[in-house]
Amino acid sequence: MSAVSDAFATADRALLVGYLPAGFPSVDAASDALVAMVSAGVDVVEVGLPYSDPVLDGPTIATAVEHALRAGTGVDEVLATVGAVAATGAPSLVMTYWNPVERRGPARFAAELAAAGGNGVILPDLPVEESDDWLAAAGREGLDTVFVVAPSSTDERLRRVTDRCTGFVYASAVMGVTGARDQVGRAAADLVARVRGVSSLPVGVGLGVSTPAQAEQVAEFADAVIVGSAFVRRLLDAADIDAGVTAVAELAGDLATGVRAAGRRAGVPAGPGR
Amino acid sequence: MTAVDLGRTPDPGSPPDAGCPPEAPSLPDATGHFGVYGGRFVPEALVAALDELDQAYCRARVDASFTQELTRLHRTYTGRPSPVTEVPRFAEHAGGARILLKREDLNHTGSHKINNVLGQALLTRRMGKTRVIAETGAGQHGVATATAAALLGLECVVYMGEEDTRRQALNVARMRLLGADVVTVRTGSRTLKDAINEAFRDWVASVDSTHYLLGTVAGPHPFPMMVRDFQRIIGVEARAQVLELTGALPDVVAACVGGGSNAIGIFHAFIPDTGVALVGFEAGGDGVATGRHAATLSAGTPGVLHGTRSYLLQDAQGQTMESHSISAGLDYPGVGPEHAWLRDTGRATYEPVTDAEAMEAFSLLCRTEGIIPAIESAHALAGAMRWGRRLGTTATILVNLSGRGDKDVQTAAGWFGLDPDPDLAIDLVPEPGGTGR
């Protein structure tokens, strides 16, 4: 059982997943912020791999990523960040668009990620139909591969995508790009219910979750609450790096409280393959 | 009236939702692959919309009411068939080869872009969607989309990089006159690549009501196939016209290649004619050796960008590199997947043409034939000069003159150091929100 699956299997509440891109505001500061996140109650960490054409990201993450790229953040820096998170003992996944992985070579990328202490990847733009090479490499290294599903996904499509997921399924709360939103739509709960109809994997909900109240609301029906842009926003708005890390930790603490305020999970699902 | 030939034989036996019937040797395959290229590398949120589009297109292409409507618009609105013009005075500078121009510049809106736009706009209406979005570099696709949106009563938003709104100011004004909302994109390199990113971001959030009217043969399946099918009328017409005019097929078919839609449009009907050389001319910018260019097929490597696997300009980390060209329409670090396949199989070849070579050809066509070409198309003209000098007087070269150069007058005046008359200066692009709108 992978570290990610293990975290879900042993929790009696929804997990809190926190995202930051590597290299923003600097490689060290992003590592510090992610470590502070874990200390403040984040259960699983997503390390973003900065990419030049982030079509699924709204202005908050796109701005941070542009800074990170201009400062020269590449795969090596991402792996170093993963290493810093791994030292905390919290499971970590790399969130990345596909082309940087293809360029590195799937086998090499998977081996390097595993060696750095990473536990898996989230691949928002790799269609499952094109994922054979990656899944073979990830399987050899014991990495989980998380695919993203959307409210527009048909049930047939949900089945096909979740069949190839390991660790958990990432459900987009809304149709749109990353970024904080006032409301997490009804669509999220419906989508989680539909995923549960075709898969026994845990389901995490992301895109738009930014406040403790939203985290609590999502934790009532999902197995994980995924927060990204709200953390990045804390770093963007901070006067300096220390203040940014402090602000990230504060938000992590508030969100962790929100997640814990939700009802306990009815029972830890014990599906096959977990 | 014959209907538009979209390149496939209708198969009445197949159910309407079965996708396009596979027909060897026609590509792509059912999942949008041209060999190892193509495919559909998009967020899952867009998969349902791409499936819907694929099915709608596959039904439409064999529906006489659709093809006849498109044919009627081509004839009565666009002005098709576009003529073929022989240019003997220009040809004197091309080794005396026989040079024939396929005059897509004479289409309504001034380029080949209208061929694809009318097809997709009719499809938008068939799908019950009320809004179209588009990316544009040179502005020709944006103008064509704004035109079709006005014609069919669709809401229209065009994304355009800030750098391109500056160098193609005339087309920004045209789009606004036609009722489109032009959104200036200020991320990344502020050119076509970034306009496409922004259009995808819009589409992910608006896909229920909105069709992304992509302007070239790139992007996720079915766009490379569908846009090619809408553009292949160029080559179908030209092949018959050249045969009638000369009694033989041309030796060379030349076209400029950015994303590759005009090139695939004129190449496609000639692909079975193995004696005809198909040559694409990419933007060489300051020269490929300088690194400041957009010669994706000449100097790029295979990778994934904007939903498709093809050649692209990328660094060792897989990050897209910025392209450079005097021509906004060719200033793109990717290229359509069918061109990648044609390159690898050797059926087509691709060469860079520098800014300087393109502008020399631009000037020559103006002064020898009284035709002001788009700077994009001037790259194909420069390529024809190169091949004409190589092949000599016995060769016939068909050039796709994909667009007219009115939009490029400011850029050309700057290049040639022409002194603009201050009394003629007009503010072509009022600030957004100004009274000029």
Side-chain angles (χ1 to χ4, degrees):
Chain A
M1 182 178 278
S2 74
V4 175
S5 300
D6 199 41
F8 279 102
T10 56
D12 63 353
R13 57 169 173 83
L15 300 183
L16 177 60
V17 181
Y19 162 96
L20 283 177
F24 179 77
S26 68
V27 175
D28 288 344
S31 291
D32 290 349
L34 287 164
V35 169
M37 233 186 225
V38 173
S39 301
V42 163
D43 301 296
V44 176
V45 167
E46 282 180 29
V47 180
L49 193 156
Y51 176 56
S52 53
D53 296 275
V55 295
L56 198 55
D57 285 306
T60 302
I61 291 177
T63 301
V65 158
E66 215 174 312
H67 281 278
L69 282 175
R70 235 179 277 135
T73 308
V75 174
D76 290 342
E77 288 72 25
V78 172
L79 294 171
T81 306
V82 167
V85 174
T88 68
S92 61
L93 302 113
V94 168
M95 172 84 146
T96 179
Y97 292 89
W98 176 245
N99 196 53
V101 180
E102 177 159 311
R103 186 72 168 150
R104 193 79 162 186
R108 179 181 169 194
F109 188 93
E112 290 177 340
L113 178 57
N119 303 104
V121 294
I122 303 170
L123 299 171
D125 69 343
L126 181 70
V128 291
E129 290 80 4
E130 309 272 357
S131 66
D132 288 352
D133 287 353
W134 167 258
L135 289 174
R140 281 194 299 274
E141 302 294 342
L143 297 173
D144 282 323
T145 300
V146 175
F147 291 107
V148 181
V149 295
S152 61
S153 304
T154 61
D155 286 349
E156 184 202 339
R157 191 78 203 155
L158 287 181
R159 191 171 287 112
R160 193 184 306 175
V161 174
T162 58
D163 273 355
R164 307 204 114 196
C165 275
T166 53
F168 68 99
V169 178
Y170 190 130
S172 315
V174 294
M175 292 293 287
V177 295
T178 58
R181 288 175 175 79
D182 292 340
Q183 288 189 308
V184 175
R186 173 77 211 157
D190 291 344
L191 177 57
V192 170
R194 289 203 295 129
V195 173
R196 293 203 195 288
V198 299
S199 171
S200 59
L201 285 170
V203 188
V205 169
L207 262 63
V209 184
S210 62
T211 67
Q214 288 173 332
E216 180 181 346
Q217 181 198 341
V218 171
E220 295 284 357
F221 62 83
D223 301 308
V225 180
I226 305 168
V227 180
S229 294
F231 284 120
V232 177
R233 173 51 57 196
R234 294 302 187 281
L235 291 177
L236 281 167
D237 290 348
D240 56 42
I241 286 176
D242 287 346
V245 172
T246 302
V248 164
E250 281 174 10
L251 177 62
D254 292 345
L255 292 167
T257 303
V259 167
R260 284 165 176 78
R264 293 163 71 89
R265 286 159 81 194
V268 180
R274 302 183 57 233
Chain B
M1 181 185 290
T2 51
V4 175
D5 174 9
L6 290 173
R8 308 274 178 127
T9 310
D11 177 3
S14 69
D17 287 338
C20 298
E23 270 180 48
S26 187
L27 288 172
D29 66 16
T31 55
H33 291 85
F34 302 86
V36 299
Y37 301 108
R40 190 184 268 181
F41 293 80
V42 294
E44 190 63 27
L46 293 178
V47 168
L50 292 169
D51 280 342
E52 178 195 18
L53 177 62
D54 192 26
Q55 288 165 14
Y57 171 60
C58 289
R59 280 195 293 268
R61 75 197 310 189
V62 293
D63 180 340
S65 71
F66 178 83
T67 54
Q68 285 169 7
E69 173 72 354
L70 186 54
T71 300
R72 185 185 68 79
L73 287 173
H74 280 334
R75 295 197 178 181
T76 64
Y77 193 69
T78 305
R80 301 208 72 89
S82 64
V84 163
T85 303
E86 181 155 15
V87 285
R89 277 171 42 76
F90 177 81
E92 289 172 17
H93 302 268
R98 192 167 186 187
I99 307 280
L100 307 173
L101 306 183
K102 177 62 174 169
R103 300 294 305 279
E104 293 297 298
D105 62 315
L106 295 179
N107 293 340
H108 179 46
T109 73
S111 81
H112 72 290
K113 292 293 186 185
I114 192 77
N115 302 330
N116 164 51
V117 162
L118 287 173
Q120 286 197 50
L122 289 176
L123 261 185
T124 303
R125 199 171 62 180
R126 276 171 79 98
M127 290 188 291
K129 295 188 175 184
T130 56
R131 177 175 177 265
V132 289
I133 56 174
E135 83 295 341
T136 199
Q140 293 300 84
H141 176 58
V143 167
T145 304
T147 298
L151 178 69
L152 297 181
L154 302 167
E155 187 189 342
C156 178
V157 176
V158 179
Y159 291 94
M160 190 170 188
E162 185 176 41
E163 163 79 5
D164 293 335
T165 60
R166 186 188 54 72
R167 56 182 165 177
Q168 306 284 205
L170 175 67
N171 273 344
V172 176
R174 290 170 76 197
M175 287 184 270
R176 288 183 174 150
L177 287 172
L178 290 160
D181 184 8
V182 180
V183 177
T184 303
V185 177
R186 296 191 171 85
T187 53
S189 58
R190 307 183 179 205
T191 59
L192 179 56
K193 164 181 96 76
D194 309 284
I196 294 175
N197 290 341
E198 214 52 48
F200 270 115
R201 290 181 182 123
D202 180 317
W203 202 31
V204 172
S206 65
V207 68
D208 283 348
S209 68
T210 299
H211 174 59
Y212 179 11
L213 211 161
L214 192 72
T216 191
V217 287
H221 179 67
F223 285 108
M225 169 185 75
M226 179 176 68
V227 177
R228 174 201 70 197
D229 291 350
F230 287 140
Q231 291 293 2
R232 77 186 293 280
I233 191 170
I234 301 170
V236 170
E237 286 176 3
R239 190 176 181 283
Q241 288 165 317
V242 173
L243 275 174
E244 188 182 321
L245 187 69
T246 71
L249 291 170
D251 299 292
V252 180
V253 177
C256 63
V257 180
S261 71
N262 91 80
I264 213 77
I266 198 163
F267 286 174
H268 200 254
F270 290 97
I271 287 176
D273 302 317
T274 50
V276 179
L278 307 177
V279 190
F281 296 95
E282 301 190 290
D286 294 341
V288 169
T290 68
R292 289 178 53 81
H293 62 85
T296 312
L297 290 160
S298 304
T301 49
V304 171
L305 175 66
H306 292 147
T308 192
R309 177 177 283 120
S310 185
Y311 281 79
L312 58 134
L313 301 179
Q314 59 180 332
D315 67 15
Q317 297 280 334
Q319 308 290 348
T320 311
M321 289 158 65
E322 286 188 18
S323 54
H324 297 274
S325 171
I326 191 172
S327 148
L330 304 183
D331 197 352
Y332 180 57
V335 67
E338 192 163 10
H339 285 294
W341 180 78
L342 288 170
R343 173 199 185 280
D344 282 10
T345 59
R347 180 61 192 95
T349 53
Y350 299 85
E351 301 177 1
V353 163
T354 63
D355 288 353
E357 291 172 302
M359 293 312 291
E360 183 198 355
F362 175 97
S363 174
L364 269 175
L365 193 73
C366 292
R367 289 167 181 247
T368 58
E369 301 288 348
I371 299 170
I372 302 177
I375 295 177
E376 289 78 19
S377 317
H379 287 69
L381 293 165
M385 290 168 64
R386 185 187 294 167
W387 276 66
R389 288 166 184 167
R390 189 182 301 163
L391 297 178
T393 55
T394 58
T396 300
I397 301 176
L398 172 67
V399 181
N400 196 9
L401 197 72
S402 57
R404 68 179 186 227
D406 308 41
K407 68 189 176 58
D408 295 318
V409 166
Q410 284 178 328
T411 302
W415 177 272
F416 295 114
L418 303 181
D419 190 19
D421 182 346
D423 293 340
L424 294 177
I426 49 169
D427 186 8
L428 289 169
V429 190
E431 284 300 307
T435 52
R437 298 183 71 200

